[in-house]
Amino acid sequence: MGWLSGWFGDSSKPSNNNEDPLRDLDPTLRDFLNKESPTKYQTTAPPPPPPPAPPQQRIPKDPSQQNAEKDPSTPSVPPESLFQDGRYAHLWKNYRSRATIECEQKSDAEKLMDVLDHYKARKARIGKAALENCTLEQQATNDCYMKGTWGDTFTMCRPQNMAFNRCYTMQAVRPLPPYYPENKSSS
């Protein structure tokens, strides 16, 4: 009754809330999850935050002193600025890109929907490229329907359709996994 111990606790094992929830997974599955996960899972507990420093009175500095403290050879200007030499750096000092702000505000479900949307868009682009690559077969199929003989019309242009479908499928659809015949010694 292993699943009941998850709810009610297992008296044979000491309770440890810091245990790794991925400890029972297959190592290859764990590696896959680590590779594909947008955020990295840490198996150890993060260190406790440092105690807050006592508040100090800060004397506001004038802008000339602030500019003197910074090294003028390395301006802190984001790459979005048209002036990388440091001009208008005071306007860019608190800049955060729109993508960064939107990413921080997204929930996990929205992030997952973004991944799925990118996957669907990629699949659509692959399908469109496959259609462009199979234009000769598609044209042959259309010509067969428009100008084909009575026999072609009767068979619904099957040879041309098969050629077009094979061309499209080989490019747009993932190939089948390799075929492993059954073990014949068991029969």
Side-chain angles (χ1 to χ4, degrees), residues 9 11 18 41 73 94 99 126 133 135 146 165 180 185:
S11 59
N18 293 333
Y41 176 76
S73 64
N94 294 330
I126 290 172
N133 292 340
T135 54
M146 298 295 188
N165 288 339
Y180 295 106
S185 64

Tab-separated table of all heavy atoms in Angstrom, residues 9 11 18 41 73 94 99 126 133 135 146 165 180 185:
chain	number	residue	atom	x	y	z
A	9	GLY	N	1.566	9.027	5.831
A	9	GLY	CA	2.911	8.921	6.373
A	9	GLY	C	3.281	7.461	6.555
A	9	GLY	O	2.437	6.590	6.729
A	11	SER	N	5.333	4.870	8.815
A	11	SER	CA	5.933	4.784	10.143
A	11	SER	C	7.310	4.120	10.097
A	11	SER	O	8.100	4.281	11.006
A	11	SER	CB	5.013	4.015	11.091
A	11	SER	OG	4.799	2.706	10.573
A	18	ASN	N	12.418	17.510	3.312
A	18	ASN	CA	13.377	18.035	2.347
A	18	ASN	C	13.820	16.990	1.336
A	18	ASN	O	14.771	17.202	0.606
A	18	ASN	CB	14.612	18.589	3.082
A	18	ASN	CG	14.259	19.811	3.899
A	18	ASN	OD1	13.319	20.519	3.579
A	18	ASN	ND2	14.998	20.041	4.962
A	41	TYR	N	15.284	22.524	-11.481
A	41	TYR	CA	14.844	22.022	-10.190
A	41	TYR	C	16.067	21.781	-9.326
A	41	TYR	O	17.009	21.121	-9.741
A	41	TYR	CB	14.061	20.730	-10.386
A	41	TYR	CG	13.657	20.083	-9.091
A	41	TYR	CD1	12.605	20.585	-8.349
A	41	TYR	CD2	14.334	18.990	-8.605
A	41	TYR	CE1	12.248	20.011	-7.169
A	41	TYR	CE2	13.984	18.404	-7.421
A	41	TYR	CZ	12.931	18.920	-6.701
A	41	TYR	OH	12.582	18.345	-5.524
A	73	SER	N	34.048	54.105	-19.180
A	73	SER	CA	34.379	53.204	-20.288
A	73	SER	C	33.351	52.084	-20.430
A	73	SER	O	33.268	51.459	-21.469
A	73	SER	CB	35.775	52.615	-20.081
A	73	SER	OG	35.778	51.815	-18.910
A	94	ASN	N	16.705	52.254	-15.669
A	94	ASN	CA	15.688	51.380	-15.092
A	94	ASN	C	14.932	50.606	-16.158
A	94	ASN	O	13.867	50.062	-15.895
A	94	ASN	CB	14.684	52.199	-14.267
A	94	ASN	CG	15.324	52.804	-13.054
A	94	ASN	OD1	16.256	52.256	-12.498
A	94	ASN	ND2	14.835	53.960	-12.658
A	99	ALA	N	9.334	41.973	-23.107
A	99	ALA	CA	9.310	40.512	-23.018
A	99	ALA	C	9.675	40.047	-21.611
A	99	ALA	O	9.091	39.091	-21.095
A	99	ALA	CB	10.271	39.915	-24.036
A	126	ILE	N	6.563	23.777	-40.928
A	126	ILE	CA	7.105	22.570	-41.560
A	126	ILE	C	6.140	22.063	-42.630
A	126	ILE	O	6.556	21.679	-43.724
A	126	ILE	CB	7.393	21.487	-40.496
A	126	ILE	CG1	8.577	21.916	-39.638
A	126	ILE	CG2	7.660	20.141	-41.147
A	126	ILE	CD1	8.823	21.022	-38.444
A	133	ASN	N	7.831	22.147	-51.185
A	133	ASN	CA	8.785	21.200	-51.748
A	133	ASN	C	8.114	20.164	-52.641
A	133	ASN	O	8.783	19.559	-53.473
A	133	ASN	CB	9.553	20.489	-50.634
A	133	ASN	CG	10.471	21.430	-49.901
A	133	ASN	OD1	10.835	22.485	-50.400
A	133	ASN	ND2	10.846	21.044	-48.693
A	135	THR	N	5.604	20.692	-54.823
A	135	THR	CA	4.757	21.372	-55.806
A	135	THR	C	4.634	20.582	-57.099
A	135	THR	O	3.573	20.603	-57.729
A	135	THR	CB	5.293	22.781	-56.120
A	135	THR	OG1	6.650	22.679	-56.514
A	135	THR	CG2	5.139	23.698	-54.941
A	146	MET	N	-7.889	17.726	-63.628
A	146	MET	CA	-8.454	18.636	-64.631
A	146	MET	C	-8.414	18.057	-66.050
A	146	MET	O	-9.374	18.193	-66.798
A	146	MET	CB	-7.688	19.964	-64.615
A	146	MET	CG	-7.783	20.697	-63.317
A	146	MET	SD	-9.462	21.204	-63.009
A	146	MET	CE	-9.231	22.207	-61.611
A	165	ASN	N	1.129	12.362	-51.644
A	165	ASN	CA	0.992	12.045	-50.216
A	165	ASN	C	2.301	11.528	-49.627
A	165	ASN	O	2.667	11.867	-48.502
A	165	ASN	CB	-0.124	11.034	-49.992
A	165	ASN	CG	-1.497	11.639	-50.194
A	165	ASN	OD1	-1.664	12.853	-50.122
A	165	ASN	ND2	-2.479	10.795	-50.465
A	180	TYR	N	10.717	-3.284	-34.904
A	180	TYR	CA	11.392	-4.364	-34.211
A	180	TYR	C	10.503	-5.593	-34.296
A	180	TYR	O	9.450	-5.647	-33.671
A	180	TYR	CB	11.648	-4.008	-32.739
A	180	TYR	CG	12.587	-2.858	-32.578
A	180	TYR	CD1	12.114	-1.620	-32.194
A	180	TYR	CD2	13.938	-3.003	-32.832
A	180	TYR	CE1	12.959	-0.558	-32.054
A	180	TYR	CE2	14.798	-1.955	-32.700
A	180	TYR	CZ	14.304	-0.726	-32.298
A	180	TYR	OH	15.163	0.338	-32.169
A	185	SER	N	11.368	-16.917	-31.196
A	185	SER	CA	11.665	-18.101	-30.398
A	185	SER	C	10.574	-18.403	-29.387
A	185	SER	O	10.475	-19.502	-28.882
A	185	SER	CB	13.008	-17.911	-29.678
A	185	SER	OG	12.910	-16.843	-28.764
